Amino acid sequence: MHGYELKHAYDQRLPRAKPLAFGQVYSTLGRLERDGLVTQSGQDQAGGPERTSFAITGDGRAALETWLSDVEAPAPYVTSALLSKVVVALLVADTARATAYLSAQQQAHTGRMRELTRLKSEQDLTVGDLIAVDYALTHLDADLRWLQTALHRVADLHREVHHEPTSDRP
Amino acid sequence: MRPWLLLRLALAGTRTDRLRVVLTAVTAALATGMLLGAATLLPTGSLDHRYQVILFDYSDGRQATAFLLLVVCVPVLALAAQAGRIGAPARHRRLAALRLAGATPRQVTAVAAAETGAAAALGAGIGLVAFLLGQELLHQRDPNGRLWLPTDVRPSPLLLALILIGLPAASALIAAVLLRNLHNSPLGEVRSAGHAAPKPWPLLLIPCGPAAYVVLRIADGRLPWPVLMLLLLGGGLAAAGGLVLGMAWLSDRAGRLLHRHARGPAALLAARRLTADPWSGSRTIGVLVVCALAAGATLGLRAYYATQMDVLRRYGETVNPLTGGVFHEGSATAQVYLSALNLLNLAIPVAAAIAAAGVLITLLEAVSARRRAFASLTAGGVRRRVLVRALLWQALLPVSVAMPAAVLLGAIMLRLIFFDIEAAERLRPPCEYGSACAAIPEHGPAHEVFWLADWAEVAAVSAGGLALVALVALGAAVTLRVRTDLQSLRTT
Amino acid sequence: MSPLLTARDLTKTFGVQPALRGVDLDLHEGEIVAVRGRSGCGKSTLLHCLSGIIRPDGGQVHFHGERIDDTTEAYRSELRRTRFGVLLQHGHLISELTSAENVALPLMLGGGSRRAALAAAATWLGRLGVAEAAEQTPGQLSGGQLQRVALARAMVTQPAVLFADEPTGALDSLAGELVMKLLSRVAREHGTAVVVVTHDATIAAYAEREIVLRDGEVDPTGLGVAVGVGA
């Protein structure tokens, strides 16, 4: 894939994320090539970096899998890492891998929420601490709700594409 | 369950619940009074002429009055059933909450039966006291030593016990039966997949009434006492029950028909409401239809006496069906018939009053129960005029069929158990026995004179019933303004 | 330790819609379990089947090793009164009785003395911080107070299992937090197991583990929806 195709795909798939600058694309590609995760797959006649196409290597695929199987630490602010990981999982990975990652991510969030809730109930916290814990809980809840909505959207779209009736529970 | 808990739970109620108790007691008192009156009059036996109201001197007159009382009793019982439905949704919810808290079905049934049974027992007691008091107060002799009414006769102890125990017991039983869907689950009617369309089977009950009366006619008084009463009352209740229960099917069909031909929003609204809840019609107008049945019977009685009078006028004499004797115009019996007619003229307004009360109660309750729906419709911009018209359509459509049918049925059923009228043309004046003219027969062949009911009167009663429903519906609609408060749309 | 309450292969259909399609569940003594899922996934139906409010069409429910789903309505009512506590979203208190009478109701229904029942009710109302509401009727209480009175009623017989269906659904977050804190505290104090049905993750966070339902079945992935990828 060419560099500009990569940027185009990124912008299209992750429209709300900060758009990539071309320079960033090529410097990242360069680093990935240095680490052996992508390789140059061809050169067009015009030459020059814009015309080079890259392909993912076996090591690269392994690194992607590792990245996908790691959960993002549940933190009270929406990181673009969480956003992009979920999008990649839903739109790119296969069903089994996506399910495994999403399930694990939700478990991590839920576990953290349990910890925080226990903290609130059991310990004598100051008002300031309570407010901070509420902040964390509310944002984690927001993350989970967004995750659920994203799942449902993709599921409905998937069903539409495959001409199955979309679920519309009473 | 401990008695104090039963009492506390049975008495726990709002203003609506107290109203229900009062109305149940009042209707029970009325019904008891009428039943006791009928019980006093029914037993046949020869009595000498000792009543001012000449009607009561003759056993057939007494019997006719007893029948009439029984006939009017049925609408009162229907009114009692109607009264029992006031505030029913709230009570149902309360009992469901009780079930959720862990009360067994039996405990919940006990609470409901206790409330209704106690109210009915209270009413029966009041009715008895009122009846006895009435007998005492009306126990007056005129200068000839005649009593005004049969106030010297007491009903037989058996009948007395039957009435005073049977009425509360029956009402408690009915209250228990109506709660049967709480027996299966404390959530009551959990989400069912929509109401099943009503079946026409209850309509089959209707012919059972006339059938029972045909049996009575064929048996011609040769049956034992209790069987007689059973067939009489049972036949009447079967016909009434069939009409009331069959109205659900009628409402459903009428709704569908209206929906197909409806053109305005009011008619469409009414059509959908009729099919969505076909039983509301039988609840609202049930009493009216039963009153129409009673009115039909009364019209039949009027027709009987009127025809007798007519035969008397035309042929100068007529046959007393009970004794077989011939009596002439101007005789005491004619006076009897006149007094009977006057009495009957009283009965129709009474039935109408009962009917009006019944219809008003349920319409008001239905409107208040659907306050939320009305409020949301009003909030959505539906003009009140449309709502009122829809209410009228919904109320009048099934009634317009049921009313004439009920009146006719009542008249027919009375005709079945009542006497035929025979008349014979007098061919010669009375002669000395043995004289020449005795050779000629005195009377021509007896032929039966047909009587059923005056058609004009039937039409009038039907139209009256329709007008009554329309009036009451309009009255309920007036309260819509007060009741469609948007408070009821609050969700918290 | 064998589970306190087990459900095997529960099925239930209303009309044409199957609400439960073979659900298994194990509940151990003293544990708090949350049941989550989208609206209409069968959570409330599961709760009703477990607590004996309705009978499942198929499957079995065992409590203390004894089968309860095929018993009579009267038996299950007794069970619900003595061994289970039920807390629903809208309280379902009797609006014509006072709070104290409502809380005392399960004890009184069992034939207990009025005085003892009301005394126990007063204790519980105090424990949950609504002692001042004792003589008021439900109509006069706020949502949070109502739910705490309902909780008192559910706990007054010291049940083995407390079933809660969206207990904070009609409450704002602080009122809900108070109810949930009290609920988990008294449950722990009395060793009562709790099954909480909710769609809210902050409420489910009060539980030790959660079960997610999807279309009437348990979803092992915990996501509540089938993942369809590729777009």
Side-chain angles (χ1 to χ4, degrees), chain B residues 1-2 4-5 8-9 12-14 94 97-105 107 183-187 191 193, chain C residues 14-15 45 48 53-54 73-74 77-78 80-81 88 92-94 96-97 101 105-106 108-109 111-114 153:
Chain B
M1 185 156 56
R2 299 276 193 89
W4 51 261
L5 183 64
R8 178 76 186 95
L9 289 174
T14 60
R94 188 169 58 238
L98 212 64
R99 285 277 283 120
L100 216 61
T104 60
Q107 286 176 318
H183 288 188
N184 298 329
S185 161
L187 296 175
R191 357 177 218 155
Chain C
F14 293 109
T45 312
H48 295 159
I53 292 177
I54 60 178
E73 186 60 38
S77 303
E78 269 299 300
R80 199 164 53 248
R81 195 179 59 75
L88 302 181
H92 285 266
L93 298 174
I94 298 181
E96 290 88 7
L97 300 177
E101 285 171 329
L105 197 58
M108 297 199 290
L109 281 171
S113 96
R114 186 155 183 262
R153 184 180 81 175

Side-chain angles (χ1 to χ4, degrees), chain A residues 106 110 113 141-142 144-146 148-149 152, chain C residues 34-44 89 164-171 180 196-205 210-213 222-224:
Chain A
Q106 183 170 281
T110 319
M113 283 180 77
D141 186 30
L144 278 181
R145 250 193 287 213
W146 162 77
Q148 278 290 301
T149 312
H152 289 140
Chain C
V35 177
R36 289 219 294 140
R38 280 179 98 172
S39 341
C41 68
K43 328 189 276 288
S44 293
Q89 185 172 357
D165 191 349
E166 305 275 12
T168 58
L171 307 177
M180 288 311 293
V196 182
V197 161
T198 181
H199 64 276
D200 187 342
T202 52
I203 302 300
E210 66 178 32
I211 295 168
V212 179
L213 290 186
L223 293 170

